[in-house]
Amino acid sequence: MRIVTARRISQGFFLALFLWFCLVATVGERLWQLRGWPVNWFLELDPLTGLTSLLASGTLYAGLLWGAAVLALTLVVGRFFCGWVCPFGAMHQFVGWLGSRGKPLKERVRRNAPHPAQQIKYLVLAFFLGAAMSDLAARLALGQVAASLAGAIVLGLVLWATRRGQGGRAYALAVGLVLAAWVAWSLAAPHGGAWLLAGLLDPIPLVSRSVNLVLLPLADAPARVAWPEPRFYQGAGLIATVFGAALLLNLWRPRFFCRYVCPTGALLGLVGRHALWRVGKKQARCGACLGCDGACSGAARPAGRLRPAECVLCLNCLDACPEDDITYATRPSAGGEAAPDLGRRRVLAGLGLGLVAPPVLSLSGVLGPGWNPALIRPPGSLPECEFLRRCLRCGQCMRVCPTGVLQPAGPSFGLEALWTPVLNMTIGTSGCQLRCTACASVCPSAAIRPISLAEKLGQGEFAAQGPIRLGCAFVDRGRCLPWAMDRPCIVCQENCPVSPKAIFTRVAWETVLTGLVAGSATGGELTVSGKALKPAALASGDYYLQMGAARARIVANGAHSLILTGGSDWRTPAPGEALSVAVRLQRPYVDPARCIGCGICQHECPVSGKRAIRVSAENATRERAHSLLLKGAGPV
Ligand code: SF4
């Protein structure tokens, strides 16, 4: 089998596997929705997700260790991940192939020539690394002060000990003390801002997000295999635009994204240029047909001085060489090799920009007094500062959410939160379901902790800490039907899933119709005059005919007749007696101590547009600072 055929089979297999994982990652009971698929495996394989989350959070979620294995293997065989595994790479390869088909060799060589713009991906990588390690760098700088002090003391100790012939031990002591000082400072330093922005352009989160939130909802809309209702994701147009542009640009330059943008490709290129096995020419001089350059996906120039960092290991060059002069071996190319043109100053600028981006953008106070109460995170989410250090923006949580309430945050939430999950209670089939922890169980980076149902509900061993609250519902009395329009409605109270209910009502009576005059009475039916009634308008059981302090419930009405069920103090009105109609309202109140902020009330509220009861992130358990009342000020 030709090596290129093997590569295509591998790409097709991993692309199909990736799409299958996206498809099966739904919550349901159907056979194909099997539990236990490693649906995050591609995200875990991506070394940049592991590296940036390690830098940003200081911890590495176990699954992300797969990325370390990819880096290690890249050191041996080169960028196999880009050329043989990456599903996004496979898509680029295919579209790039479509764009190059039928083009003359000269044109293909021109399109595949190395270009200075290939440096951009290193700049992108540097920016994301800088943003991820911003906080670490700040702590390191402060740590250096502590370490310098400790170093000065230790230097004295070393000199003192060296005079006594104990240099070796003292040196070890010195190193240990300096390191200990730094570690101690790092641990003690308050956490600042560091953001895991890499997910914006990291290929696996990017393609996961695009497939989860754009392609699958589109594909599923006609057949409704995955979801009974069509899915909508806010801002999916922007996600689709980025995805579509990345794919279409391959028609202009093959593997455009991989060559010029991909930060993971940049990272793997930096490692892969030192790989044990690499593509190369057997001899410096060849027929110079340039067939290999015309076929090269990575613009690595195999015919001349090879750029190993750019080689995506597509191995098209091996296939294209008529003289069998290109090999994949453990020796450097006989044609010579060139180091990646990093543009050192630009990369440093990218790193610097990344380092200052979180603190500068945080000046708006997004993690402090300027926090956005509309940013309601899924149950189990870490505090916002930690959340932004971990969320990959992969969209897995939004994809598995059975109700579709989890939405990608739009630009209005700021760059730091773009495409992270946020609850939008008015989208989807209901708010956050009480007995569901799907998002928590699928999150690959533990930005949403893997909580149990008992923890979510505050049961069993979690009874003392109570249920997880996403926020709190507030009644907008200016829009609420019983409050603002004297219309009976208890939809929010009825739908509150908490037991005992977090929404309770208080009865209020309001006179809604006056000027009725009693006519003749037969059994329970009374004729009235003075005003014509809308037939059946008072038949909901909430309206009462009022005569002084006595009331009788109206169970049906015509234009001039009422059917009544009288109360104990009710008497049949005499003809000509003045009557009015009152409505019995049950006005809703929220008990913040019980409300978990699930948003089902907001979703079900019949007031269209801006609902009359809305959840905000206040009182969420994940942010103690956002409690409604100061600690000790009340039961909340
Ligand atoms: S919170 Fe959602 S979008 Fe963020 S990493 Fe977890 S699963 Fe992906």
Side-chain angles (χ1 to χ4, degrees):
M1 188 196 297
R2 287 161 57 209
I3 189 74
V4 169
T5 309
R7 191 253 301 153
R8 284 180 187 148
I9 291 172
S10 169
Q11 285 180 301
F13 169 76
F14 283 114
L15 178 59
L17 192 64
F18 169 78
L19 293 175
W20 175 246
F21 286 166
C22 287
L23 188 65
V24 296
T26 59
V27 176
E29 300 303 329
R30 279 167 282 183
L31 184 63
W32 54 274
Q33 290 172 319
L34 296 176
R35 315 295 170 91
W37 288 98
V39 292
N40 289 325
W41 188 59
F42 284 92
L43 286 158
E44 291 166 352
L45 273 183
D46 183 337
L48 188 61
T49 58
L51 179 62
T52 46
S53 63
L54 176 65
L55 287 173
S57 66
T59 51
L60 185 61
Y61 198 56
L64 300 179
L65 273 172
W66 277 101
V70 169
L71 279 180
L73 200 52
T74 304
L75 255 183
V76 181
V77 298
R79 288 172 63 179
F80 76 99
F81 182 78
C82 304
W84 291 63
V85 178
C86 178
F88 204 24
M91 295 178 189
H92 295 308
Q93 187 92 37
F94 178 68
V95 182
W97 171 78
L98 285 181
S100 299
R101 235 169 24 137
K103 296 257 180 325
L105 177 64
K106 196 172 163 198
E107 170 62 9
R108 281 188 283 126
V109 170
R110 192 183 68 77
R111 288 152 59 101
N112 290 341
H115 192 279
Q118 284 168 267
Q119 292 172 8
I120 293 173
K121 62 177 175 292
Y122 299 108
L123 198 142
V124 173
L125 172 67
F127 175 80
F128 288 147
L129 289 179
M133 65 192 292
S134 172
D135 186 35
L136 181 73
R139 280 188 275 159
L140 189 64
L142 291 170
Q144 277 171 350
V145 176
S148 308
L149 281 175
I153 296 166
V154 167
L155 192 62
L157 280 174
V158 172
L159 290 173
W160 176 77
T162 311
R163 281 196 181 165
R164 284 163 171 71
Q166 295 171 353
R169 243 185 295 164
Y171 180 75
L173 181 70
V175 172
L177 276 175
V178 172
L179 282 178
W182 179 74
V183 170
W185 181 264
S186 295
L187 290 176
H191 285 278
W195 298 337
L196 195 58
L197 295 177
L200 294 172
L201 289 176
D202 192 338
I204 304 297
L206 192 159
V207 73
S208 300
R209 184 170 61 237
S210 307
V211 172
N212 283 337
L213 309 185
V214 178
L215 295 190
L216 282 176
L218 270 180
D220 194 56
R224 313 264 173 91
V225 176
W227 302 289
E229 299 289 332
R231 280 264 161 148
F232 299 100
Y233 290 103
Q234 260 184 330
L238 182 60
I239 296 171
T241 304
V242 172
F243 180 69
L247 283 187
L248 289 177
L249 282 166
N250 291 297
L251 298 173
W252 180 58
R253 288 284 182 275
R255 293 196 75 140
F256 177 93
F257 184 84
C258 314
R259 286 185 194 180
Y260 305 113
V261 184
C262 182
T264 303
L267 175 67
L268 291 174
L270 293 176
V271 175
R273 65 179 280 237
H274 303 290
L276 195 57
W277 267 275
R278 71 260 315 277
V279 165
K281 285 166 78 172
K282 285 183 194 163
Q283 51 196 6
R285 288 185 172 277
C286 63
C289 68
L290 297 184
C292 53
D293 273 7
C296 177
S297 304
R301 176 143 290 171
R305 280 187 80 202
L306 182 80
R307 289 165 167 72
E310 306 296 331
C311 171
V312 294
L313 222 62
C314 68
L315 302 183
N316 283 346
C317 51
L318 263 75
D319 207 46
C321 182
E323 297 170 5
D324 211 15
D325 188 39
I326 307 265
T327 58
Y328 178 61
T330 54
R331 59 173 180 271
S333 174
E337 291 185 352
D341 186 7
L342 288 179
R344 203 159 296 164
R345 275 190 216 148
R346 262 162 281 171
V347 168
L348 280 176
L351 190 69
L353 271 178
L355 283 172
V356 299
V360 168
L361 292 174
S362 296
L363 287 176
S364 59
V366 284
L367 296 176
W371 72 283
N372 186 346
L375 202 63
I376 306 164
R377 297 293 192 190
S381 294
L382 299 176
E384 190 62 15
C385 186
E386 285 298 311
F387 190 88
L388 292 176
R389 293 166 190 265
R390 283 179 175 259
C391 178
L392 306 173
R393 301 150 210 260
C394 60
Q396 293 285 77
C397 51
M398 304 171 221
R399 161 75 187 156
V400 299
C401 177
T403 67
V405 69
L406 277 187
Q407 296 286 318
S412 62
F413 288 102
L415 176 69
E416 69 276 15
L418 187 64
W419 297 331
T420 58
V422 61
L423 277 82
N424 184 324
M425 308 304 186
T426 52
I427 298 184
T429 53
S430 118
C432 178
Q433 290 295 294
L434 196 63
R435 304 187 70 79
C436 173
T437 56
C439 56
S441 56
V442 81
C443 179
S445 63
I448 310 173
R449 287 186 298 113
I451 53 169
S452 64
L453 198 55
E455 183 178 357
K456 184 180 180 190
L457 301 177
Q459 294 172 344
E461 58 180 306
F462 302 99
Q465 70 189 46
I468 291 177
R469 290 194 297 264
L470 312 183
C472 188
F474 295 88
V475 178
D476 183 342
R477 293 186 181 183
R479 297 177 69 82
C480 176
L481 297 178
W483 280 104
M485 295 162 221
D486 293 340
R487 294 286 180 108
C489 175
I490 52 166
V491 169
C492 56
Q493 194 268 348
E494 279 180 331
N495 280 282
C496 176
V498 175
S499 177
K501 287 185 184 280
I503 300 176
F504 61 94
T505 59
R506 288 190 180 130
V507 172
W509 291 93
E510 296 289 347
T511 301
V512 290
L513 190 62
T514 55
L516 290 180
V517 179
S520 61
T522 328
E525 184 169 353
L526 176 75
T527 60
V528 288
S529 58
K531 271 182 187 165
L533 305 173
K534 192 175 168 193
L538 304 175
S540 67
D542 301 293
Y543 293 91
Y544 288 72
L545 188 64
Q546 194 161 275
M547 186 174 53
R551 298 187 186 110
R553 179 181 286 186
I554 302 169
V555 293
N557 76 284
H560 292 287
S561 66
L562 298 167
I563 299 195
L564 307 168
T565 55
S568 57
D569 56 348
W570 179 254
R571 65 172 172 79
T572 303
E577 219 169 323
L579 302 169
S580 59
V581 173
V583 62
R584 182 179 183 272
L585 299 167
Q586 298 179 71
R587 289 180 170 151
Y589 293 77
V590 177
D591 180 350
R594 290 197 187 131
C595 180
I596 56 169
C598 68
I600 293 175
C601 54
Q602 182 174 342
H603 184 272
E604 301 302 328
C605 176
V607 176
S608 61
K610 193 175 177 184
R611 303 294 204 264
I613 185 163
R614 300 187 294 277
V615 173
S616 86
E618 280 132 309
N619 226 26
T621 34
R622 73 187 185 110
E623 296 278 6
R624 295 286 170 199
H626 299 163
S627 298
L628 280 178
L629 297 177
L630 293 175
K631 202 175 171 194
V636 179

